[in-house]
Amino acid sequence: MNNLFSTTTTTKTLQVLIRVLSNAKARNIRYDMLYVNVGMWDWRTGVPVSMLERNTRDALSGNAKDYFIDIPKRIWRDTTAAYPSKFAWPKECKHSKIRDDSRPCNIHTDGIYNYNTATNMHWKRSGFELLDGWTVTATRPDLTIDGIHYAVGSKVTAKSHNYTWASTDTLYNPMYRVMNNMFFSMLCG
């Protein structure tokens, strides 16, 4: 199959992770916890949901579980909501690779929801607990500092996008703290 997305960033990341865990197992190095979060870059570059779902399923199947099974705590944080208006240029918005959307701008954060819905089951089947970053961030992706990343208190600037509302907006952003609290609760629970 000659497809631009035959290998996704998620697939490559999981292949590297399995190689690292395989090398560690061969050298009798033991990990107590594994925390994984992938998917944003695939969404950002327009990988179809069906391709990401298939690649995630394939990467986590077979002997991949053999590398995870000895790690007592496995956490998958699904992909958080994004705010495309902070990072997508108007030209990119109109000519993005995501073509299953008829709105004037094809880049929408609901694509991330679809990613999570399609892939979370594969992570759970592989013994990962879900840290649900989507649910925490879905109502306020505008609190990101750049449309993708959260921080505690952030000054947003988007002069290059000509969004005057964002040029001086200072936000108190609890998202980062909430996700950290969720992580430590899962780790210690």
Side-chain angles (χ1 to χ4, degrees):
M1 169 160 92
N2 186 9
N3 186 318
L4 175 64
F5 303 114
S6 61
T7 303
T8 62
T9 303
T10 296
T11 305
K12 291 176 188 175
T13 303
L14 290 173
Q15 289 168 347
V16 169
L17 174 62
I18 289 168
R19 192 167 48 244
V20 167
L21 293 173
S22 174
N23 291 339
K25 194 172 194 172
R27 295 185 350 227
N28 291 320
I29 297 172
R30 187 173 184 280
Y31 293 102
D32 294 320
M33 193 256 315
L34 178 61
Y35 178 85
V36 181
N37 169 244
V38 291
M40 182 64 78
W41 190 248
D42 291 319
W43 169 77
R44 179 76 175 83
T45 56
V47 173
V49 173
S50 60
M51 177 70 68
L52 181 72
E53 187 274 332
R54 184 174 65 241
N55 288 353
T56 301
R57 181 195 65 222
D58 292 350
L60 292 172
S61 66
N63 68 349
K65 290 180 187 175
D66 295 340
Y67 300 107
F68 304 142
I69 199 77
D70 295 331
I71 302 172
K73 185 62 99 172
R74 298 178 298 274
I75 300 172
W76 156 247
R77 194 199 85 201
D78 64 2
T79 306
T80 57
Y83 199 70
S85 299
K86 290 188 179 183
F87 61 78
W89 295 89
K91 183 178 178 182
E92 176 187 12
C93 193
K94 292 198 181 286
H95 303 290
S96 75
K97 295 178 183 116
I98 305 168
R99 293 287 175 223
D100 59 349
D101 193 315
S102 61
R103 291 174 275 190
C105 179
N106 308 358
I107 304 173
H108 299 284
T109 198
D110 61 337
I112 296 171
Y113 174 80
N114 295 334
Y115 271 21
N116 290 336
T117 301
T119 60
N120 282 351
M121 65 182 159
H122 299 299
W123 290 99
K124 289 177 183 177
R125 282 188 200 138
S126 293
F128 284 77
E129 294 178 66
L130 172 65
L131 194 158
D132 194 358
W134 169 264
T135 301
V136 173
T137 60
T139 59
R140 292 303 306 266
D142 58 311
L143 292 178
T144 56
I145 56 174
D146 59 2
I148 295 173
H149 301 99
Y150 291 89
V152 177
S154 46
K155 183 166 248 177
V156 178
T157 59
K159 290 180 183 176
S160 60
H161 292 266
N162 297 317
Y163 297 121
T164 55
W165 61 267
S167 63
T168 59
D169 197 7
T170 301
L171 307 168
Y172 170 71
N173 187 345
M175 297 299 182
Y176 189 77
R177 185 178 305 155
V178 168
M179 285 191 288
N180 279 337
N181 286 344
M182 289 171 67
F183 169 73
F184 285 115
S185 293
M186 291 179 84
L187 192 59
C188 299

